[in-house]
Amino acid sequence: MRFVSWNVNGLRAASGKGFSEAFLALDADFFCLQETKLQAGQLDLAFPGYESFWNYADKKGYSGTAVYTRHTPLSVRYGMGIDVHDHEGRVITLEYPGFFLVTVYTPNSQDGLRRLDYRMTWEDDFRAFLLGLDAVKPVIFCGDLNVAHEEIDIRNPKANHMNSGFTDEERGKMTQLLDSGFIDTFRTLHPDLVKYSWWSYRFQAREKNVGWRIDYFITSARLRDKIAEAEIHNEIFGSDHCPVELVLND
């Protein structure tokens, strides 16, 4: 089974930058999107053989997630069931016989870390949400987690220390999540590989490869032996992020 995740930073914009071509070329069973920035009815983008599920933010042009899938889920859940978190369209959960698939767009702590306290609450609640799922069956979750976990995951760690996405608090929450029974699939297969999934639009960052790895596929640790591939497609453009991929053996 092939899974792809991509923060498209506005699906309408990405659709004019080769999104459909990349979607078809990646040929995924499950294609998860973050930061769609859509409301219902604003874009009709269907692909033969795929169903799609959408979670829209209350605020127009903000956040939002989606999943295209070739496999009809047993159930679909939007959000975490916690009102304070469920107005920004950040989480979709699809249930299948053997696993839950969750796509997530984690809140950014923002400039000046003005949303860091909220982010810490989100992290605790989202971890509890995942652990509740994991108690039922294995979990595969993906998305823009808005954190570079280790120094290897960011081009300039010293200069960015305590900036949004590379604070000790955010990195600590990622460690806590992984220690609770989950694995970072890319780092599991590629412990020393330096590869990024996001680059600022400023200062020619992508051309210079001054990037961050903040897009992940994370799974329940008990799926470790099923992981066949974990890739970052930094050859694909169309957003300030690139797609990331996970392949699991059936």
Side-chain angles (χ1 to χ4, degrees):
M1 292 181 292
R2 187 176 305 275
F3 302 78
V4 169
S5 176
W6 195 0
N7 179 324
V8 290
N9 192 11
L11 187 55
R12 286 174 292 178
S15 294
K17 301 176 184 176
F19 173 79
S20 294
E21 292 80 0
F23 182 100
L24 294 170
L26 289 166
D27 193 29
D29 293 282
F30 307 89
F31 203 116
C32 300
L33 306 179
Q34 303 87 43
E35 210 172 355
T36 55
K37 297 183 177 179
L38 290 175
Q39 303 300 124
Q42 286 189 313
L43 183 68
D44 183 15
L45 187 61
F47 295 95
Y50 289 88
E51 299 175 72
S52 61
F53 301 91
W54 302 79
N55 195 1
Y56 306 105
D58 292 355
K59 180 180 176 181
K60 292 182 179 179
Y62 180 74
S63 189
T65 48
V67 182
Y68 287 89
T69 174
R70 285 174 166 152
H71 307 278
T72 300
L74 298 175
S75 67
V76 182
R77 180 174 174 179
Y78 300 96
M80 288 190 271
I82 301 172
D83 185 70
V84 69
H85 299 315
D86 287 350
H87 294 275
E88 297 183 352
R90 293 186 178 274
V91 181
I92 303 174
T93 304
L94 273 57
E95 180 185 4
Y96 290 93
F99 60 90
F100 290 103
L101 173 64
V102 182
T103 189
V104 59
Y105 178 38
T106 299
N108 191 301
S109 295
Q110 301 186 349
D111 293 340
L113 303 180
R114 62 184 183 273
R115 217 180 185 199
L116 181 61
D117 288 346
Y118 171 69
R119 168 72 177 266
M120 294 296 97
T121 300
W122 166 281
E123 293 283 357
D124 291 340
D125 290 343
F126 186 61
R127 185 177 64 257
F129 175 74
L130 293 174
L131 287 169
L133 297 176
D134 187 60
V136 178
K137 61 183 77 172
V139 175
I140 301 158
F141 80 92
C142 63
D144 175 0
L145 302 190
N146 263 315
V147 61
H149 184 215
E150 304 288 356
E151 290 193 354
I152 192 176
D153 299 317
I154 185 170
R155 176 67 175 271
N156 293 315
K158 289 182 173 60
N160 284 289
H161 181 230
M162 295 310 292
N163 285 344
S164 174
F166 201 61
T167 64
D168 296 341
E169 292 88 344
E170 291 162 312
R171 295 169 66 197
K173 291 296 185 185
M174 172 67 95
T175 298
Q176 190 176 356
L177 172 68
L178 296 176
D179 287 348
S180 66
F182 296 94
I183 53 174
D184 174 350
T185 60
F186 180 82
R187 195 54 72 207
T188 297
L189 292 194
H190 308 290
D192 302 313
L193 182 59
V194 175
K195 213 166 183 182
Y196 306 124
S197 66
W198 174 79
W199 305 260
S200 171
Y201 278 133
R202 298 180 292 174
F203 312 122
Q204 297 179 304
R206 190 153 188 178
E207 290 83 348
K208 298 174 183 176
N209 199 30
V210 179
W212 302 44
R213 187 175 76 97
I214 60 175
D215 301 270
Y216 298 81
F217 269 98
I218 293 178
T219 72
S220 300
R222 60 192 185 278
L223 293 179
R224 170 65 184 87
D225 291 343
K226 292 191 174 186
I227 300 171
E229 298 175 34
E231 302 294 344
I232 297 175
H233 287 286
N234 57 8
E235 77 282 4
I236 295 178
F237 290 75
S239 170
D240 53 348
H241 297 250
C242 72
V244 296
E245 180 180 352
L246 171 68
V247 179
L248 291 182
N249 294 320
D250 293 336

